[in-house]
Amino acid sequence: MSSKYLPASNPVKSFWLTAEVDFKDLRSTEELPAEADIVIVGSGYAGSTMAYYLMQEQFSGSMVMLEARDVCTGATARNGGHLKPSLYYSHKSWKHRYGEKGAAEIVNFEHAHLKAVKEIIEQEKIDCDFVLTRSCDVHLTKTAEQDCIDNYYDMMRNPYITCKHDTQILFGEAAKNISHVVDSNVCVTFTAGQLWPYKLMTSLLRKCLEKGLNLQTNTPVLGTEKRAGKWLVKTSRGTILAKKVVFATNAYTASVEPKFENKIVPIKGMCSHITPENRPAHLNNTYGIRYDGADQDYLINRPDGSVIVGGAKKHIFPFKNLFYNVVDDSTLVPGSERYFDGYMKRFHTWDTTKATTDYVWSGILGYTDDSFPYVGEMPHEEGKFVIAGFHGHGMPRVLLSSKALAKAVLGKDKNLAIPSAFKLSEQRLKQTNNRILQSLGTPEAKL
């Protein structure tokens, strides 16, 4: 096991963490229990929803959750809060690799998260600033425009995609007027959501705690060892013998399972919170703002009039040592703070509005060698499960992956109702072609 992949102990505080919960550093018991039926490693989006769905499946055994830092302080408390399925922009690539049916599996699965997330929020009566809206992708280079058009119409020809009706492409003045971005000649709109992700996950965790979940924060896991048909989970505070263990560790998975080194790679990203001095006209859409290749930003408009903007990849991706295989979210990437200042001037509803970038933070994303998450049981290691590596796109992928994996952990459905591309397999673990830098458009990133 490698301690170099463990989370930093002093992360920059994000805007989302202004809502820190009263159990942020909870240890349900003073000492670690000696044994447990299920141990979940990680308290973020994947870990919290795993615990929730296991209990929804009427699991009544002992369950322990181990978190290396305070509760839910990883990517879930650092992302953009953007529930945005990818419905068209990667379609040609996905079709090339998995065929029309395989590409449609991914598109339909991501779109299904809109309903699933809305249902869980309403069913559990969770206050997390959830807004169901439309996202607007704008394309600000000729290359981005052509990629948009090619992928959009390729997606529309796929007979297996069931949510094509939810997308619309607009050109010229219509694109400029709908997007409010004066440089946008092509835009695509579709249903999306926005929310306060930390509030959603900690609300689910609170419900799990009420049902008996044993939470142990600030307890890094250092590795596992097979012991008498069970898994000895080694931590900085001792060991737990578990019948089953679930790694919901995203970017940090190599710290507990060395087989994922160079397969789930920690990538450092940047995000910000911007507050206007005088509230401008509300932008009705959330946004994906695309330049060439993987150079893109994202934006959500919060109900209080502030916005969250993430990306700044122009200041990150040219320099491999600043972002690639980096787990340190205690510092900012140089230049990224300046990137967000004045950002909102591109929207004509904000062009006379003074605004302050009052929070800028870093976060660690779990990018994978083939751009898809690893979900399932480890080959030849019965009782060890992984749900990790969401490639900076976890909001429309994690929830239903957790729901499916919970059934597999309990032995109720080992087929996993997730896209085939997501399933953990021996073949995927053995392949050695790491496409991450290529996918980012920086194959010659500077050292």
Side-chain angles (χ1 to χ4, degrees), residues 105-224:
E105 277 185 346
I106 301 166
V107 172
N108 294 336
F109 185 77
E110 293 195 15
H111 190 265
H113 275 73
L114 297 168
K115 177 182 178 183
V117 171
K118 183 175 184 290
E119 284 182 345
I120 200 171
I121 289 170
E122 293 178 347
Q123 176 182 315
E124 298 294 351
K125 298 179 173 60
I126 295 172
D127 179 8
C128 59
D129 292 359
F130 178 70
V131 178
L132 191 64
T133 181
R134 283 184 78 80
S135 187
C136 182
D137 278 2
V138 297
H139 308 82
L140 302 184
T141 69
K142 292 298 182 183
T143 301
E145 288 177 9
Q146 194 58 54
D147 285 344
C148 163
I149 293 167
D150 292 347
N151 276 283
Y152 180 86
Y153 288 110
D154 196 60
M155 178 273 296
M156 292 298 289
R157 289 190 292 269
N158 188 331
Y160 303 103
I161 293 178
T162 58
C163 53
K164 290 184 286 189
H165 62 280
D166 196 22
T167 62
Q168 183 181 17
I169 191 166
L170 299 155
F171 299 94
E173 288 303 309
K176 298 179 192 299
N177 291 334
I178 295 299
S179 70
H180 299 293
V181 179
V182 68
D183 297 327
S184 177
N185 294 311
V186 181
C187 74
V188 177
T189 69
F190 47 92
T191 305
Q194 62 180 74
L195 65 153
W196 195 306
Y198 178 83
K199 286 185 177 181
L200 173 56
M201 299 313 151
T202 53
S203 295
L204 293 178
L205 266 183
R206 190 184 297 275
K207 293 177 183 297
C208 293
L209 289 168
E210 292 169 355
K211 293 182 178 180
L213 173 69
N214 184 321
L215 173 62
Q216 297 288 332
T217 64
N218 298 291
T219 306
V221 172
L222 307 177
T224 59

Side-chain angles (χ1 to χ4, degrees), residues 304-315:
D304 64 4
S306 65
V307 298
I308 302 288
V309 179
K313 295 177 180 179
K314 291 178 175 62
H315 291 276

